[in-house]
Amino acid sequence: MKVLGIISEYNPFHYGHLYHLEKSKKITGCNFSIAVMSGSFVQRGEPSFIDKWTKTKIAIDSGIDLVLELPSIFSVQSAELFAYGGVKLLDSLNIVDYISFGSELGELEILKFIAEIFAREPYYFKLMLKKYLDEGNSYSVSRSLALESFLKKDGRNKCNYTNILKSPNNILAIEYLKALYILNSDIKPFTIKRVGSDYKETLFNNKYSSATSIRNKILKGDLKEIKNYLPEATYYHINQYLNEYDSFNTMENYSHILLYLLRTIDKNSLSKIMDIEDGLENRLINYGFKYNNITQIINNTITKRYPKTRIQRILIHLLMGINKDIFLELKNTYPQYIRVLGMNNKGMNILNKIKQNTNISIINKFADYKKENNLQLHKMIYYDKKSTDLYFLGLQKEKSRISNLDYLKSPYIKNSRTNF
C-alpha cells in the first residue's frame, strides 16, 4: 500500500484539481489517496461556496479514496498555520508515503531551499524581517524582502525569489515543505506545476479556469452554461446541492451578524481575537459603526500591512469566537482526532491501516466524540460543529438554515456499485 496525501479545499473541485490528482498518483506510484480538506470555511477567510459534504462527494467520486476534515481552527488561518494543520494531520496517521501539492514554479528543490530558510530563520534574515515589518509592510511582503536581502548578503541570489513568493500556490507549497521540515516528517514531498488560469484569475476562460472564476460564473448565471467546463461529478453534485439548499454561500451573507458583533464587542475582547494586532481592533470597530455592510468594512480596513484575506480571516475568527489563547492551546495538543467525511472501498482499507498505526481517535459517527474522555478533543471539535452551524445559518433561504447537521449527516460511502 502506497498512500498519497493531499491538502485541499476543493471549492469547488475543478479540472485543475483532477489533473493534479491523476498526475500525482501516476508519478508517485501511489494506489491509495487521502485528502485533508477544509470544511465550512476556507483559508482566504470566506464561507465555503458549497458545504463540506457536497465537496466530499465530489472528491470521492473524482478519485480520492478517503476525505478527512481539516479542523476548523486551522482551515481559516494564514498559509503557514493552514499548511501546518494539514501536514501535521497527515504525518500523525503514520501511513502516508507522499504529499503532493501544486505550485506555479513546479521545481521542488528551489521551494525546499526557501522553506528551510524560513524554518531555520537565520539571524540576518530575522533582522531584515523585523526591519520590513517595522516599515509597515505585510508579513508576506516583509518575508519576501527579508529573503532577498539575506540571499544577497550570502551571495546566493541567483534566482528571482521575490517573484516566486508572489504566487499563492508557491507560498503554500513552501509552507507545506516548511511544516515537513519542522516536524522532521518521513513523508516525501512532490510538486506538480499548476496548469491553466492563475489562482486569483476572476475571468472564466477555459477548461482549466480557476476556482475563483468558476464561483463567479456560477453566481452570475446558469450552472448549465459551464457544464462542459466542470468534471462530471462536480456538475452533478453542485446541482444536487442547489436542489437541496437553493443558494450558495458568500461572505456578504454574514453582514448582519458581523455588524452586530463589531458594534457590541469591546476593544479589549476584539484585541484578543486571532490575527488582531497593533490597534487593528480600533479600525474594525470604527468602520463597523461607519458602514452598514461587511464588504465596505473590509475594503476600508485594508492597508499595505493588512491585506483583504487577513481582514476576512479575522472576521471569521470573530464569528467563531477563536482568540489567540484558544488557538495556541489547541495547536499545542493537536491532533486529538481525525474526522471522516467520506470514503470508498479503498478508503476503508486506508482507515483500517490508520487504526493499526496510530492511537488518535477516529470519528466516523459525529456523536461518538462524546464517548471520548478527552477535554482537548471536545474543545476542538466544538469549533467544527460551530463552523457547520454558522455555515448553514449564512444561507439565504430560510429552509436551508438547518442546525446540528454534524449529528444528522453520515460520512459519504461510495462502493463499487455507486453511480452519480
Side-chain angles (χ1 to χ4, degrees):
M1 176 184 282
K2 291 181 69 177
V3 181
L4 170 71
I6 292 173
I7 301 167
S8 63
E9 293 196 306
Y10 292 157
N11 188 38
F13 188 98
H14 53 65
Y15 275 114
H17 295 132
L18 186 61
Y19 170 83
H20 171 255
L21 174 60
E22 291 178 346
K23 188 159 187 177
S24 297
K25 286 180 178 179
K26 183 177 180 180
I27 292 175
T28 62
C30 289
N31 49 355
F32 292 84
S33 58
I34 302 172
V36 172
M37 187 185 76
S38 59
S40 299
F41 292 87
V42 297
Q43 197 263 330
R44 60 188 293 160
E46 295 175 338
S48 181
F49 188 62
I50 50 179
D51 73 288
K52 62 188 178 184
W53 289 286
T54 300
K55 292 194 294 184
T56 297
K57 291 174 183 177
I58 296 169
I60 297 294
D61 287 346
S62 299
I64 293 289
D65 299 315
L66 176 66
V67 176
L68 306 177
E69 182 172 7
L70 177 66
S72 58
I73 69 158
F74 284 104
S75 70
V76 190
Q77 296 293 350
S78 65
E80 178 183 23
L81 294 173
F82 174 88
Y84 176 84
V87 171
K88 178 77 170 176
L89 190 58
L90 286 174
D91 187 65
S92 70
L93 304 179
N94 296 323
I95 66 160
V96 178
D97 298 289
Y98 290 90
I99 180 173
S100 178
F101 39 82
S103 65
E104 288 84 1
L105 184 66
E107 296 180 29
L108 188 66
E109 291 309 311
I110 294 176
L111 297 172
K112 283 178 71 174
F113 174 70
I114 299 171
E116 289 181 16
I117 293 173
F118 288 170
R120 291 187 293 105
E121 290 195 321
Y123 173 75
Y124 187 74
F125 171 80
K126 288 181 72 174
L127 192 67
M128 291 295 99
L129 180 61
K130 183 179 185 306
K131 171 184 178 293
Y132 291 119
L133 283 171
D134 289 345
E135 290 175 0
N137 297 293
S138 69
Y139 180 77
S140 60
V141 169
S142 297
R143 193 168 66 162
S144 177
L145 293 170
L147 177 68
E148 187 176 18
S149 297
F150 171 76
L151 292 174
K152 280 182 180 177
K153 183 177 184 297
D154 211 36
R156 289 186 288 182
N157 195 20
K158 297 178 181 178
C159 180
N160 194 337
Y161 292 97
T162 304
N163 279 343
I164 292 172
L165 291 171
K166 287 179 180 177
S167 300
N169 288 283
N170 285 342
I171 293 169
L172 264 177
I174 289 164
E175 293 299 343
Y176 295 140
L177 291 164
K178 188 176 82 173
L180 290 170
Y181 181 89
I182 291 170
L183 294 168
N184 194 26
S185 175
D186 291 328
I187 299 175
K188 300 177 185 67
F190 199 88
T191 189
I192 305 290
K193 187 173 177 63
R194 182 180 173 87
V195 297
S197 299
D198 183 81
Y199 172 80
K200 294 181 180 180
E201 177 60 60
T202 58
L203 296 177
F204 183 86
N205 53 36
N206 58 47
K207 181 178 177 179
Y208 291 106
S209 292
S210 70
T212 301
S213 67
I214 290 170
R215 291 193 298 270
N216 289 345
K217 185 72 172 176
I218 293 173
L219 285 171
K220 290 177 181 177
D222 191 334
L223 183 62
K224 292 179 182 177
E225 292 180 14
I226 60 170
K227 179 178 181 179
N228 295 331
Y229 296 91
L230 293 174
E232 187 178 358
T234 302
Y235 181 76
Y236 174 82
H237 286 298
I238 289 181
N239 265 306
Q240 295 297 104
Y241 168 91
L242 273 177
N243 289 337
E244 187 169 4
Y245 301 117
D246 206 26
S247 64
F248 298 105
N249 213 344
T250 65
M251 192 67 169
E252 287 74 19
N253 293 348
Y254 295 88
S255 272
H256 281 79
I257 303 173
L258 288 167
L259 278 170
Y260 165 77
L261 291 172
L262 288 172
R263 291 177 181 182
T264 56
I265 195 169
D266 64 89
K267 291 180 181 180
N268 183 55
S269 297
L270 185 55
S271 69
K272 295 176 182 177
I273 291 294
M274 191 69 187
D275 261 353
I276 288 274
E277 63 177 44
D278 295 337
L280 186 56
E281 70 276 9
N282 298 317
R283 192 175 178 88
L284 276 168
I285 288 175
N286 290 340
Y287 286 131
F289 280 99
K290 183 174 182 180
Y291 298 106
N292 293 325
N293 73 70
I294 202 60
T295 301
Q296 286 179 304
I297 293 170
I298 292 168
N299 289 340
N300 282 278
T301 308
I302 294 168
T303 66
K304 183 171 71 167
R305 187 181 180 98
Y306 303 115
K308 181 180 181 180
T309 50
R310 179 165 180 177
I311 301 303
Q312 291 182 163
R313 285 195 293 267
I314 288 170
L315 292 170
I316 300 301
H317 294 149
L318 174 62
L319 194 64
M320 292 178 61
I322 300 176
N323 65 37
K324 298 163 190 173
D325 291 338
I326 288 170
F327 179 80
L328 185 61
E329 175 191 347
L330 295 178
K331 177 178 180 285
N332 288 341
T333 59
Y334 174 76
Q336 296 291 324
Y337 63 91
I338 61 172
R339 169 85 186 280
V340 178
L341 291 178
M343 62 187 128
N344 58 22
N345 292 337
K346 290 168 70 176
M348 293 179 193
N349 293 333
I350 297 172
L351 206 56
N352 288 331
K353 193 74 171 176
I354 291 171
K355 290 176 183 177
Q356 297 167 19
N357 285 273
T358 182
N359 294 321
I360 295 173
S361 298
I362 298 173
I363 308 296
N364 281 313
K365 185 180 178 183
F366 187 75
D368 287 348
Y369 86 87
K370 294 182 177 180
K371 301 174 185 177
E372 300 287 339
N373 185 24
N374 183 331
L375 179 61
Q376 296 304 106
L377 184 154
H378 282 242
K379 284 183 178 181
M380 183 172 281
I381 212 164
Y382 160 80
Y383 289 101
D384 292 345
K385 181 189 180 301
K386 188 174 185 179
S387 67
T388 304
D389 289 341
L390 284 167
Y391 176 86
F392 285 95
L393 186 62
L395 294 181
Q396 294 177 337
K397 302 295 182 179
E398 186 176 335
K399 68 173 186 176
S400 302
R401 295 172 189 157
I402 312 163
S403 62
N404 290 323
L405 274 177
D406 280 303
Y407 291 105
L408 302 174
K409 292 272 191 179
S410 299
Y412 176 61
I413 310 296
K414 178 184 174 70
N415 59 46
S416 57
R417 296 183 301 277
T418 303
N419 292 310
F420 57 87

